[in-house]
Structures are given as structure tokens and as C-alpha cells.
Amino acid sequence: GTLQGVKLCFVGDGNNVAASWIHAVGRLGGTLKIGAPRELSPAPELMNWAKAQGADVRLMHSPEEAVAGSHCVITDAWVSMHDTDAASRHNLLKPYQVNRRLMEQAAPGAKFMHCLPAHRGEEV
């Protein structure tokens, strides 16, 4: 199918899950806004790939701006198995927590997705 007309948002670490959504929008259309701290933004070469594909992928550092009007809000765990800087990552990502306040910025009836396992009280 297609994602034409669908407004997606990924908030948090611009990691492998964010990369998968960048690739999906590059292949299937739609809009993807990524809200990530500067230090955890997706790799520049990945963003360049999206641009070369004509994908509507936008990077911003405000989670509220990224979520605004989105039909679906997506996030991932803040700390993965290979990460050794958990405390630092939590400090960077706390403003990107998907909670009621952030979801209220999304479109009415917006869906929430998480690749699991979710860590309640952290990223959600």
C-alpha cells in the first residue's frame, strides 16, 4: 500500500527504529517528522538518502513541533542493549517522553506505536 496523506511522527533517539520509518516513508510516501535531540539525530547520510528519494522527512528538535497534527506518534526505548550511557540518554530524552500532554498535540484520534518492550515512566 501507500502512506500518502499520512502524517507520522517519531520522537526520541534517531536510532534504527527511526531509520526504518525513514526508509518506509522513502518507499511508501507520507510525511515523517522526527523530533530528536541534536545529539541523537538520525545519521546525516540517512537524511541525505531520504532527500534523494524525494521523501517528506523533516528533522526538528522540538517534540511538540514534531508531534503537531500527526496521525501516528512513534517512539522506541531510550536505552538499547549496546548503549552504555543510560543516565546521559535519560537526561537528553526526558523532554521527548510520549505522554498525555504530548499526544494532545497530535491530530484527534492519533495512534501511538512503540516497537516494544516499552519502559513506562521513561519513553512512555
Side-chain angles (χ1 to χ4, degrees), residues 4 32 65 67:
Q4 292 299 336
L32 175 64
E65 185 180 349
V67 169

Side-chain angles (χ1 to χ4, degrees), residues 85-108:
D85 55 346
S88 173
R89 295 175 72 75
H90 280 94
N91 290 336
L92 282 172
L93 291 164
K94 185 64 177 170
Y96 298 85
Q97 181 185 67
V98 180
N99 51 36
R100 182 179 309 274
R101 180 192 56 76
L102 193 62
M103 286 298 294
E104 287 173 350
Q105 305 301 311

Side-chain angles (χ1 to χ4, degrees), residues 19-114:
S20 293
W21 282 102
I22 292 168
H23 284 278
V25 169
R27 300 278 189 241
L28 302 173
T31 298
L32 175 64
K33 295 188 291 182
I34 300 170
R38 291 185 196 286
E39 301 87 340
L40 299 175
S41 295
E45 56 272 11
L46 181 58
M47 297 302 289
N48 290 336
W49 175 87
K51 185 177 181 180
Q53 299 299 307
D56 188 1
V57 177
R58 307 170 200 174
L59 175 61
M60 47 204 61
H61 304 294
S62 162
E64 294 82 9
E65 185 180 349
V67 169
S70 294
H71 299 120
C72 183
V73 178
I74 307 155
T75 196
D76 186 23
W78 286 351
V79 180
S80 297
M81 290 184 290
H82 65 281
D83 295 324
T84 58
D85 55 346
S88 173
R89 295 175 72 75
H90 280 94
N91 290 336
L92 282 172
L93 291 164
K94 185 64 177 170
Y96 298 85
Q97 181 185 67
V98 180
N99 51 36
R100 182 179 309 274
R101 180 192 56 76
L102 193 62
M103 286 298 294
E104 287 173 350
Q105 305 301 311
K111 306 295 184 211
F112 169 71
M113 293 179 67
H114 193 299

